[in-house]
Amino acid sequence: MIETLAILGGIALFPAMAAGLSLGFHLFTPHWSRKKRIGRAALLATLVPMMLPLVAILFEAASGGLGDAEDLVLSLLAILSLTAIAGAVLALPSAWYVSERLTRRDGEAPPPAIEHDEDVPALTGTGA
């Protein structure tokens, strides 16, 4: 029973992190496009938890515990494919959902933090 809860908690980590990061990006980087916020939230939420098994595989290979190079390649291929699947199936939909709900709630996107005005001279000195 405890093992099942641990597995479900580990699986729930990906969407929870993606939703939280999506909310944070929505609040702190409103000048980014919605696609950029969703993509970065899903990518970070997937890569951060998967770094531990990736580093464990690399340390095991460095200590000689994996055997030959074929075992290392298969292990890396398995962990990278699991990372891609977890990102696409677990993290991306929750990041998209949170961003979509926040955009609908806010209505229009907030104005950019820096507005480009044609009347302001450029920093290069070529202007009015």
Side-chain angles (χ1 to χ4, degrees):
M1 181 67 177
I2 298 295
E3 294 87 8
T4 306
L5 290 176
I7 290 172
L8 290 176
I11 290 173
L13 180 73
F14 294 104
M17 281 184 62
L21 285 168
S22 184
L23 172 65
F25 286 152
H26 180 80
L27 293 175
F28 294 115
T29 57
H31 57 280
W32 284 1
S33 70
R34 197 172 82 205
K35 288 181 183 180
K36 186 176 184 179
R37 289 190 304 245
I38 292 170
R40 294 213 176 157
L43 184 69
L44 279 174
T46 306
L47 290 180
V48 169
M50 294 305 280
M51 277 303 177
L52 182 63
L54 181 63
V55 169
I57 288 172
L58 293 176
F59 274 132
E60 187 71 23
S63 68
L66 277 180
D68 56 353
E70 183 179 330
D71 292 338
L72 173 64
V73 170
L74 287 176
S75 299
L76 287 177
L77 184 63
I79 199 71
L80 292 177
S81 62
L82 181 65
T83 303
I85 291 169
V89 173
L90 297 172
L92 194 61
S94 63
W96 174 81
Y97 178 76
V98 168
S99 183
E100 183 72 24
R101 293 286 295 192
L102 289 171
T103 303
R104 266 196 255 148
R105 182 190 61 127
D106 292 344
E108 291 294 319
I114 300 172
E115 293 184 16
H116 298 285
D117 195 46
E118 295 298 324
D119 296 336
V120 178
L123 292 176
T124 58
T126 60

